Amino acid sequence: MTFINYDDKQVVPLWINGEASPLNAERFFEVVNAQENKTVHYAQGANEADAKAAVDAAAAAFQSWSQTSYSDRRALLLKVADLIEQRAEEIARMQVLETSCAPAFASFLPRLTAPVLREIASQISNCLAGSVCPTQTNDTYAFVTKEAVGPVLVISPWNSPTILGSRGVSSALAAGCTVVLKGSELCPATYRLLVSVFEDAGLPKGCLNLVQAGRSEAAAVTEAIIAHPQLRKVEFIGSAGIGSVIGQIAMKYLKPVFMELGGKAPAIITRNANLPKAAQLCAFGAFIHHGQICMSTERIIVVKAVADEFTRLLKEAVEKEFPDGAGSAVTKAFSDKAHALLEQAHQNGAKFLVGDNSYTGTQKSGLRPTIVTDLGPDDPLRDTETFGPSATLYVVEDEEEAIKLANDTKTGLVASIWTDDAMQGLDMSKRLQCGSVHINSTTLNDEPTSAITGTKGSGWGSNSGAFGINEFLVHKTITLRKSDAPIAFK
């Protein structure tokens, strides 16, 4: 049940303890398709009482779910992966409806998600393995075990709900945690579909609870969840600004939190680069999904010796790959924010190398792919994530200057290096201050088996595979002594 009919409205309910919460029309909010500027359905907004009920349900379910065998958890997640593949078309249609993304992008996400969930499932037994520690005396044994941290809050964004929401929930469930999932108010029905997949796979009631809130209630609802005495940890994926607020709330209640925030991802083009391929994938990394990905290529740094040739190829790549633009932003406000950043830079003397920062679409919800050059050193665009279809091109003297410029940012999520000299690429990667470096590939790149880690202002903690499961586990030391063994204090 994705919707409940209320008068003439289709409403996405809150989903707590395996059932829809009663509707309250006073807390309905609209879900708007930006590309057509029309309300497509409504969602029930949570209040603080709903927040408490969701954690209560997760805490009650934790008592049994945390004791399930790793093989049962594995089997469930493998079933979830299968169902996501089977229902890919339905999930993709809902994401397009709610977020105005390109159908091809929405259809790709389930194909990306299923292998990620299977990898998480395969790593459960390894992650739960403890250790036997040496002791100072022969009459004592010491064991370090790993246990689920407890009920957790997963806050997942609107831009890639299928992968980011499912990955966070699966990592927590794999560890033995139960979950309150706060889905984005911009795509609540997409999140409701994902929750139904987990329950249809056999997840018991209360193990996964879904809440969403309108903008005016979101802060109070989030704090109520984090403040709950039974809530043990928070995962947040989203903007640095909201992440800062979440971090302060978590600190207030002494709850651990890990975050994957935004970035200003650089792509470095060395003199040894495959220039046609680099140009193609820089354009792809900057403009796919209207630039609404935390790993989007926002800074292109090219060594002077190949700058002219690369620039020509980059222009051609943009014209070839994005002749009709880059689609639509999720809301008009997102496109307006990105447009304003580029417009300010242009007024301050920056030039448009590709595109003109103009609006696209009948509702002006999209922006034309644009590449900026000659950006001033103090311009806000230099270190502000646009989350729009834009990138800045810099020309530097050599690779040494390229590294310095790439590191000159408050964020550090991902970077790419283009070079046919493998040792050069590896040497440079060690000096880049970010969680992931992809040599001869786009910044939009990750493997189900590898860690996704933010550094500096891009967050902390790791997602994906075994790394994500470990975020939801805590170590417990257990010692065993002979009952008559003496205890020496001197």
Side-chain angles (χ1 to χ4, degrees):
M1 177 176 59
T2 306
F3 300 104
I4 297 177
N5 291 323
Y6 186 97
D7 291 339
D8 61 342
K9 298 179 175 67
Q10 284 190 311
V11 184
V12 182
L14 305 174
W15 196 259
I16 298 173
N17 201 31
E19 62 183 25
S21 297
L23 297 181
N24 182 340
E26 293 181 358
R27 299 205 308 273
F28 290 175
F29 61 85
E30 297 178 329
V31 180
V32 177
N33 178 288
Q35 200 164 25
E36 298 183 15
N37 190 28
K38 73 174 184 178
T39 299
V40 292
H41 45 251
Y42 296 79
Q44 172 70 65
N47 61 15
E48 294 179 51
D50 297 318
K52 181 181 183 300
V55 184
D56 286 343
F62 177 73
Q63 302 307 313
S64 57
W65 179 253
S66 61
Q67 300 305 309
T68 57
S69 70
Y70 76 87
S71 57
D72 286 344
R73 297 180 213 167
R74 174 185 294 159
L76 181 131
L77 293 183
L78 291 174
K79 180 64 174 176
V80 170
D82 291 343
L83 289 177
I84 283 179
E85 287 182 328
Q86 293 170 23
R87 300 180 186 177
E89 186 177 339
E90 179 186 10
I91 295 169
R93 280 200 308 268
M94 189 63 73
Q95 186 181 345
V96 171
L97 180 68
E98 293 188 310
T99 70
S100 301
C101 71
F105 182 79
S107 298
F108 167 72
L109 290 181
R111 300 198 305 272
L112 175 67
T113 301
V116 169
L117 301 195
R118 292 185 180 114
E119 175 62 22
I120 292 171
S122 74
Q123 290 297 321
I124 297 175
S125 56
N126 288 335
C127 290
L128 294 177
S131 57
V132 179
C133 303
T135 58
Q136 296 185 71
T137 60
N138 292 328
D139 56 13
T140 301
Y141 292 88
F143 312 92
V144 175
T145 63
K146 295 180 182 179
E147 296 183 355
V149 67
V152 299
L153 169 62
V154 173
I155 305 176
S156 188
W158 53 266
N159 59 335
S160 299
T162 309
I163 175 64
L164 299 181
S166 298
R167 185 186 67 190
V169 168
S170 296
S171 298
L173 293 174
C177 297
T178 51
V179 181
V180 176
L181 173 62
K182 185 176 180 295
S184 171
E185 76 280 3
L186 298 178
C187 56
T190 304
Y191 276 105
R192 176 69 196 102
L193 285 175
L194 292 172
V195 170
S196 71
V197 167
F198 280 88
E199 292 193 343
D200 290 347
L203 185 66
K205 290 183 178 181
C207 290
L208 177 55
N209 307 276
L210 176 66
V211 298
Q212 62 268 338
R215 285 296 176 95
S216 59
E217 293 81 24
V221 168
T222 301
E223 180 159 1
I225 295 172
I226 296 174
H228 195 294
Q230 296 297 319
L231 199 283
R232 294 288 180 256
K233 193 167 187 177
V234 180
E235 175 190 356
F236 173 77
I237 302 178
S239 69
I242 301 300
S244 177
V245 175
I246 297 293
Q248 292 176 65
I249 295 172
M251 182 175 65
K252 176 180 176 181
Y253 296 101
L254 297 180
K255 305 295 175 72
V257 58
F258 71 105
M259 302 186 178
E260 182 183 324
L261 307 177
K264 196 74 176 175
I268 297 176
I269 318 301
T270 74
R271 68 195 70 213
N272 300 311
N274 179 332
L275 297 181
K277 195 66 176 179
Q280 177 192 358
L281 289 186
C282 281
F284 171 84
F287 304 136
I288 196 71
H289 195 28
H290 205 259
Q292 299 172 133
I293 303 174
C294 58
M295 299 176 179
S296 290
T297 305
E298 290 227 16
R299 295 180 295 153
I300 303 171
I301 304 170
V302 57
V303 172
K304 184 177 180 179
V306 295
D308 289 345
E309 176 67 6
F310 175 79
T311 300
R312 179 183 66 80
L313 293 167
L314 181 61
K315 290 180 180 178
E316 293 176 358
V318 175
E319 292 170 358
K320 178 181 178 182
E321 302 294 334
F322 298 92
D324 300 318
S328 172
V330 65
T331 68
K332 182 68 163 58
F334 272 87
S335 61
D336 287 344
K337 179 182 177 181
H339 179 272
L341 279 168
L342 266 67
E343 191 60 31
Q344 180 181 3
H346 192 233
Q347 291 175 0
N348 291 340
K351 298 181 177 62
F352 293 150
L353 175 70
V354 175
D356 58 3
N357 193 38
S358 59
Y359 286 100
T360 62
T362 57
Q363 303 300 324
K364 296 185 177 180
S365 62
L367 292 171
R368 190 166 304 284
T370 302
I371 298 177
V372 176
T373 62
D374 298 333
L375 189 66
D378 299 320
D379 197 289
L381 180 60
R382 192 175 184 90
D383 202 22
T384 302
E385 185 181 35
T386 68
F387 233 56
S390 64
T392 306
L393 179 72
Y394 300 90
V395 178
V396 295
E397 286 295 327
D398 53 27
E399 286 77 9
E400 187 69 24
E401 186 180 349
I403 293 174
K404 182 178 179 181
L405 178 57
N407 288 336
D408 185 20
T409 174
K410 60 180 178 287
T411 59
L413 186 60
V414 62
S416 71
I417 300 170
W418 286 89
T419 176
D420 281 343
D421 184 335
M423 287 303 297
Q424 179 189 43
L426 291 174
D427 288 343
M428 291 175 67
S429 69
K430 291 192 296 184
R431 300 175 60 193
L432 288 175
Q433 299 167 358
C434 56
S436 301
V437 180
H438 304 296
I439 302 172
N440 294 332
S441 186
T442 174
T443 55
L444 306 178
N445 189 4
D446 61 76
E447 292 290 335
T449 55
S450 61
I452 299 174
T453 307
T455 65
K456 302 196 298 189
S458 292
W460 58 86
S462 297
N463 276 308
S464 201
F467 303 96
I469 298 174
N470 284 325
E471 291 287 351
F472 295 104
L473 293 169
V474 292
H475 292 90
K476 175 182 285 186
T477 295
I478 301 171
T479 63
L480 173 65
R481 294 174 58 86
K482 296 178 181 179
S483 60
D484 59 351
I487 298 179
F489 286 99
K490 61 179 180 179

